Amino acid sequence: MTSSTDIIGIRSDFPALNGTMRGKDLVYFDNGATSLKPQIVMDALDGYYREYSANIHRGVYEMSERATAAFDRARETMYRFLGVDPEKGEVIFTRGTTESINLVAYAWGMNVLGPEDEIVLTAMEHHSNIVPWQQVARRTGASLRFIPLTEEGTLEEDGITATIGPRTRLVAITGMSNVTGYVPPLKTIRREARRHGALVLLDGAQYVSHHPVDVQDLDCDFLAFSGHKLCGPTGIGGLYARRTLLEQMEPFHFGGDMIREVHLRESTWANVPEKFEAGTPNIAGAIGMAAAAEYLMNVGMESIARHERELNAYMYDALSTLDYVTLYGPVSDSERGGIFSMNLEGVHAHDVGSLLDQQGVAVRTGFHCAQPLMAHFGITGTVRASFYLYNTPDEIDLFVRALERLYGILR
Ligand code: C6P
């Protein structure tokens, strides 16, 4: 993975990388928003729609059986990808991280929490891991508490131990900030949560696509993730949750496929995981996400993480030579995944983004669905460059040269 031939091989798997933007070779640094898709994922989607696009769990005919088998295999692939015991049925297919967190908020939070309880969050959370908990707090009377952030947006042990306490029922935290790439000290957080009998929800939207994941090691109670950030299609993702919790939780959505028996005035529920998957699921999406997970496992999540660490170190060195760039987040590259948020002195982030676009470089600008973190930094937005397995040091050079050029024009 670290050798240039490996990267060339990987890049050729992604048709979009052959494309241009504004007439220039595309440099895709917006992987935090969504990743590009390898051909193998398109083939999996195409295969389903072209050859066997029947509904699942319903037909007795061959085409439906084929679709059912592919859907079930997709779940098994996700078990392997996440280190989930296949016997336990602990992966629910959802539309993505946002829906997964809402599932926990509605099916667990709304039913279980009360005025004595506290939900612990941080100000670096994506809106998807704040707004649902605000709703739970409003409806149940539970309180929200926030682990304080340091000036650079990191967490310290003292703040963690002072915030998680006997009334904490849930700590809901990102595995990797979508703004700064900061990976919080998950072990300390889990230890404190366990000490007080609280559950841990990990927002894995960014974490899962960039790190090898084994839920046994992560030892969280809930893990939310999105397929589109790990080379899969949009509109599909999942929630890992401990079986014991899934069995206790009420369903989130009601309708077909999630029932055991329906009578006119009452119904009973199917087993986990179907109990949480009402209606026709995103069959193609599940098959496509599994193809993506299989692709990433073949490349090797450990190699992907190593490659990104190398890119990070390279980017860190390159940016530190530009004294007009303010970088947000941890002051060392070791606590950071491949996401860099920055501002150029005296220049609006959108202007930087637009001029980078003219150079063929795709970045995201704005508040990145993280307004509380922007408020913490005292800014309204940043320019964000985020990497994935197919990015290269040459692209970083190109990005940095583009920054130098545009700063010369804009300042
Ligand atoms: N962040 C970004 O550009 P969905 O949209 O449901 O797939 O994921 C939501 C989400 C939740 N948590 C974190 C940490 C995230 O980064 C995201 C998605 C994208 O940063 C789109 S806003």
Side-chain angles (χ1 to χ4, degrees):
M1 181 65 197
T2 44
S3 82
S4 55
T5 43
D6 292 340
I7 291 284
I8 290 164
I10 284 167
R11 287 180 68 84
S12 67
D13 295 334
F14 290 81
L17 289 172
N18 292 327
T20 55
M21 197 168 76
R22 308 284 178 202
K24 303 268 171 35
D25 286 345
L26 172 68
V27 174
Y28 188 74
F29 278 178
D30 197 17
N31 296 286
T34 195
S35 62
L36 302 177
K37 321 301 172 201
Q39 185 61 46
I40 211 167
V41 168
M42 269 89 83
D43 292 345
L45 294 171
D46 186 66
Y48 168 73
Y49 282 121
R50 199 175 289 278
E51 295 167 24
Y52 60 102
S53 64
N55 211 328
I56 56 163
H57 300 154
R58 287 163 171 79
V60 289
Y61 53 95
E62 188 191 349
M63 197 159 98
S64 171
E65 283 171 3
R66 194 174 160 198
T68 301
F71 184 78
D72 292 346
R73 262 199 317 277
R75 203 186 310 267
E76 280 157 23
T77 304
M78 296 318 293
Y79 290 153
R80 258 190 300 123
F81 186 65
L82 301 169
V84 172
D85 177 352
E87 297 301 310
K88 292 192 176 166
E90 291 172 319
V91 174
I92 315 293
F93 285 128
T94 64
R95 284 194 298 134
T97 304
T98 304
E99 188 174 274
S100 297
I101 296 174
N102 273 275
L103 193 164
V104 181
Y106 278 86
W108 179 82
M110 296 283 190
N111 292 316
V112 167
L113 297 180
E116 299 301 310
D117 299 324
E118 290 175 353
I119 303 164
V120 170
L121 309 169
T122 76
M124 80 176 127
E125 302 311 311
H126 187 280
H127 296 164
S128 297
N129 198 29
I130 295 184
V131 184
W133 302 117
Q134 292 171 344
Q135 295 306 306
V136 170
R138 265 184 43 189
R139 293 228 206 137
T140 64
S143 320
L144 302 182
R145 296 197 67 192
F146 295 87
I147 304 172
L149 294 179
T150 62
E151 209 174 313
E152 69 261 20
T154 58
L155 302 179
E156 284 177 345
E157 176 138 2
D158 286 357
I160 296 169
T161 49
T163 315
I164 301 173
R167 292 170 63 175
T168 308
R169 297 291 302 277
L170 177 75
V171 182
I173 186 154
T174 186
M176 174 171 154
S177 160
N178 68 315
V179 175
T180 63
Y182 174 57
V183 176
L186 300 175
K187 279 203 181 102
T188 310
I189 290 162
R190 202 176 51 221
R191 186 196 70 211
E192 284 309 296
R194 295 279 175 258
R195 201 154 72 84
H196 295 289
L199 301 180
V200 175
L201 179 148
L202 208 59
D203 169 354
Q206 301 292 341
Y207 185 88
V208 166
S209 39
H210 300 278
H211 299 85
V213 172
D214 181 334
V215 291
Q216 317 303 331
D217 287 350
L218 266 185
D219 194 24
C220 56
D221 301 285
F222 302 106
L223 173 69
F225 60 95
S226 298
H228 69 96
K229 293 196 203 287
L230 51 90
C231 296
T234 51
I236 184 76
L239 175 73
Y240 156 80
R242 285 190 201 282
R243 172 112 198 167
T244 44
L245 287 165
L246 290 173
E247 278 171 356
Q248 289 157 16
M249 280 156 60
E250 283 297 307
F252 172 35
H253 293 143
F254 299 85
D257 240 24
M258 52 74 67
I259 50 83
R260 186 185 307 280
E261 279 180 30
V262 176
H263 304 280
L264 280 181
R265 296 193 188 278
E266 59 186 6
S267 303
T268 54
W269 315 138
N271 286 335
V272 170
E274 283 80 13
K275 171 177 150 186
F276 294 98
E277 294 178 356
T280 299
N282 184 348
I283 303 166
I287 292 169
M289 175 165 70
E294 201 72 72
Y295 175 82
L296 293 178
M297 285 189 280
N298 281 336
V299 175
M301 289 306 294
E302 199 57 74
S303 323
I304 293 172
R306 194 172 50 243
H307 174 67
E308 287 179 21
R309 278 197 299 276
E310 286 167 11
L311 291 179
N312 280 357
Y314 196 84
M315 178 78 153
Y316 223 87
D317 284 351
L319 288 179
S320 53
T321 63
L322 309 181
D323 58 3
Y324 48 85
V325 170
T326 302
L327 196 58
Y328 301 95
V331 284
S332 96
D333 63 329
S334 59
E335 291 175 293
R336 185 193 279 276
I339 297 182
F340 288 79
S341 261
M342 66 200 81
N343 273 314
L344 274 55
E345 201 182 310
V347 183
H348 198 284
H350 287 299
D351 294 338
V352 177
S354 300
L355 284 179
L356 284 172
D357 164 52
Q358 300 301 320
Q359 311 281 331
V361 182
V363 293
R364 183 170 173 188
T365 62
F367 54 73
H368 314 297
C369 299
Q371 283 180 332
L373 185 58
M374 295 296 129
H376 174 79
F377 288 138
I379 53 178
T380 52
T382 74
V383 178
R384 184 186 71 179
S386 47
F387 306 138
Y388 211 8
L389 68 165
Y390 35 70
N391 291 124
T392 66
D394 287 351
E395 291 180 313
I396 294 177
D397 288 342
L398 212 142
F399 170 76
V400 170
R401 276 201 304 276
L403 280 188
E404 285 171 331
R405 225 177 357 255
L406 71 86
Y407 186 68
I409 298 167
L410 287 175
R411 102 194 124 133

